[in-house]
Amino acid sequence: QVQLVESGGGLVQAGGSLRLSCAASERTLSNYNMGWFRQAPGKDREFVAARTWAGTITYADSVKGRFTTSRNDAKTILFLQMSNLRPEDTAVYYCAATTTAQLSRLSSPDEYTYWGQGTRVTVSS
């Protein structure tokens, strides 16, 4: 069982940037398909980005071109670099991991087994 801990959230003005981190308790994330999700108040959890263990990456249309997910060389930390932030990006951001699920299904939170506690991102206008 892998434990995930997100960090890096905070308050930023519109147009600014933040980098979120998701650290794993295990030695490596290379065996997992990973996802980033966010949940704004009163809304459902929303897909942001996913990275398969093989390195294939997908993004939600709403963040494409602004957000980038990557992994450190040791394969123990997943990052979400967020640029040109907008007020509508305000949410609690979660990372998640699964050993199953096909790429086409990685946008669904139901496919993930392990979740972090979330980190809050607030974008002011």
Side-chain angles (χ1 to χ4, degrees):
Q1 180 173 347
V2 62
Q3 294 181 332
L4 304 171
V5 179
E6 301 97 335
S7 61
L11 173 63
V12 64
Q13 289 187 333
S17 300
L18 281 175
R19 188 176 78 160
L20 306 184
S21 300
C22 173
S25 60
E26 293 192 358
R27 289 184 181 181
T28 179
L29 291 171
S30 60
N31 297 326
Y32 297 92
N33 292 322
M34 302 296 298
W36 286 100
F37 291 82
R38 65 187 182 187
Q39 189 165 19
K43 294 188 176 181
D44 293 335
R45 196 162 293 191
E46 176 188 28
F47 170 71
V48 175
R51 187 187 191 287
T52 70
W53 64 268
T56 302
I57 297 174
T58 61
Y59 297 96
D61 288 342
S62 59
V63 306
K64 201 171 293 183
R66 301 188 298 122
F67 291 11
T68 303
T69 189
S70 61
R71 196 172 61 183
N72 67 334
D73 290 343
K75 302 177 183 179
T76 57
I77 303 175
L78 185 72
F79 300 105
L80 184 67
Q81 178 67 48
M82 305 185 296
S83 302
N84 191 20
L85 283 161
R86 304 167 181 169
E88 53 264 38
D89 295 319
T90 295
V92 177
Y93 283 71
Y94 300 89
C95 67
T98 179
T99 57
T100 57
Q102 300 172 348
L103 177 62
S104 60
R105 300 174 66 176
L106 289 179
S107 61
S108 171
D110 295 337
E111 296 301 318
Y112 292 83
T113 305
Y114 308 107
W115 290 85
Q117 83 291 347
T119 184
R120 185 174 301 275
V121 172
T122 303
V123 184
S124 63
S125 58

